Amino acid sequence: MTAPANRLIVVLCLALTSFAFTGDRPAYRLFTAAGQAADYDQMLGELAQADVVLFGEQHNDVIAHWLELQVAKDLLRLKKPGQVVLGMEMFERDVQPLVARYATGSLADTAFEHQARPWPNYATDYRPLLQFARDNKIPVVGTNAPRPFAQAVARGSLKALDKLPAVDRALLAPLPLKVNYDLPGYKNMAAMFGGDSKTHGGGAQNIIQAQALKDATMAHFIQASRQEGQTLLHLNGSYHSDHHDGIVAYLSQYAPKLRVKTLSVVTQEQLQQLDKEQVNVADYVVVVPADMSKSY
């Protein structure tokens, strides 16, 4: 065999070896609740038929924020004008007038960012979504309970809200608030404090009540902010909607006939299959590599 032929064989072997070790490097993979590989377009068709889509994100996950924008764009493409609403945990109810003005283009970026208390990662992670909504005349709804009220409950239980004036009550879910301590998410929170959610006094119970206030308030304003035929895409931390509790549980109380779909973003070391602990965490599970870049 000639020298040129030997060199060609070596080059081909190196190329094949490189291909075998490199393979595909997806930024994410999509699975059904049961752990079956899912198709994005099929998922999107289901989301477009839902009344509410709860996108459970990891707040610092860049893939989640990119995918939220893609879902918003594609829902707008599939729905009729006026049939998409964007809801966001990231803005509290007392700044809703500012959110609404920004979405209609009547409030400048600098004024909005100065007054609306955006999260520290707003510029990279949420501003593109708000600008997309503004450019396409999509209503935007801030759904979260104002932080001072949640903090008051965490310190002193739901009783801290008993004497709130009507103007403040209007920023929250209907009071008095019932809390189902048997919801999986709330039971997990109790376990973090080393006690039972119903009997572990003070700390655990108060914090669960504060979480419930947020979940219920988001559910209340999600339900109140959409009209018949609209799909409300809501962005929230995955813990608020995983396992169909949290926001979903309160939506089932406030509007049991709503068609709700959930997504959850999780991280895994491998993307070939869904880890057992992630099965049934949501209707669709977005799996992101554990070493994916974070926004903070």
Side-chain angles (χ1 to χ4, degrees):
M1 187 177 293
T2 64
N6 283 332
R7 286 196 295 271
L8 179 60
I9 291 173
V10 170
V11 169
L12 288 173
C13 288
L14 289 173
L16 290 172
T17 300
S18 175
F19 176 80
F21 278 98
T22 301
D24 189 18
R25 290 292 183 269
Y28 76 93
R29 287 196 186 280
L30 187 64
F31 294 90
T32 65
Q36 301 298 315
D39 176 78
Y40 176 86
D41 289 337
Q42 180 180 356
M43 177 193 75
L44 191 69
E46 292 186 25
L47 301 187
Q49 296 301 314
D51 299 317
V52 175
V53 176
L54 300 175
F55 199 125
E57 65 172 40
Q58 301 299 318
H59 296 315
N60 63 353
D61 191 294
V62 295
I63 294 300
H65 298 302
W66 172 81
L67 194 57
E68 288 165 346
L69 181 58
Q70 306 315 306
V71 169
K73 289 179 177 180
D74 290 331
L75 283 176
L76 184 63
R77 176 175 54 85
L78 291 179
K79 305 283 288 187
K80 295 179 181 178
Q83 289 190 335
V84 177
V85 180
L86 179 64
M88 302 181 71
E89 173 196 3
M90 299 79 202
F91 293 99
E92 299 165 14
R93 286 304 301 170
D94 60 314
V95 300
Q96 176 57 31
L98 300 175
V99 173
R101 287 180 59 198
Y102 183 80
T104 59
S106 62
L107 184 65
D109 286 61
T110 52
F112 176 73
E113 293 173 23
H114 180 70
Q115 300 174 46
R117 304 193 305 274
W119 288 9
N121 58 326
Y122 167 78
T124 56
D125 297 344
Y126 303 113
R127 188 169 182 262
L129 274 156
L130 280 172
Q131 289 183 320
F132 170 74
R134 182 183 61 188
D135 293 344
N136 291 277
K137 297 180 172 57
I138 296 174
V140 182
V141 182
T143 59
N144 209 353
R147 190 170 302 176
F149 301 134
Q151 291 173 337
V153 172
R155 291 191 299 266
S157 84
L158 285 167
K159 293 181 180 179
L161 308 179
D162 286 349
K163 296 182 179 180
L164 282 183
V167 66
D168 289 339
R169 283 175 172 258
L171 302 174
L172 302 171
L175 299 174
L177 183 67
K178 294 182 179 180
V179 181
N180 180 0
Y181 295 99
D182 290 325
L183 290 176
Y186 298 164
K187 292 179 74 172
N188 288 339
M189 290 178 70
M192 294 178 193
F193 288 84
D196 178 78
S197 58
K198 288 176 285 188
T199 61
H200 192 64
Q205 189 168 0
N206 290 354
I207 290 175
I208 292 168
Q209 290 180 4
Q211 179 83 355
L213 178 67
K214 294 180 179 181
D215 290 337
T217 298
M218 286 189 271
H220 172 68
F221 287 104
I222 287 170
Q223 184 272 333
S225 300
R226 61 165 300 278
Q227 299 176 7
E228 188 66 29
Q230 291 181 326
T231 295
L232 191 149
L233 172 62
H234 189 265
L235 314 182
N236 53 264
S238 61
Y239 202 86
H240 289 288
S241 54
D242 279 355
H243 302 290
H244 295 88
D245 64 10
I247 296 172
V248 186
Y250 281 103
L251 278 174
S252 68
Q253 290 184 34
Y254 298 145
K257 293 184 179 180
L258 280 182
R259 296 168 296 176
V260 180
K261 289 290 183 180
T262 61
L263 286 79
S264 185
V265 178
V266 304
T267 58
Q268 294 184 179
E269 295 295 335
Q270 54 80 29
L271 272 64
Q272 285 70 36
Q273 62 184 11
L274 192 63
D275 289 348
K276 289 183 179 180
E277 59 267 27
Q278 309 297 356
V279 172
N280 293 321
V281 72
D283 294 313
Y284 286 95
V285 184
V286 180
V287 180
V288 176
D291 60 355
M292 175 58 67
S293 300
K294 305 297 182 183
S295 59
Y296 63 90

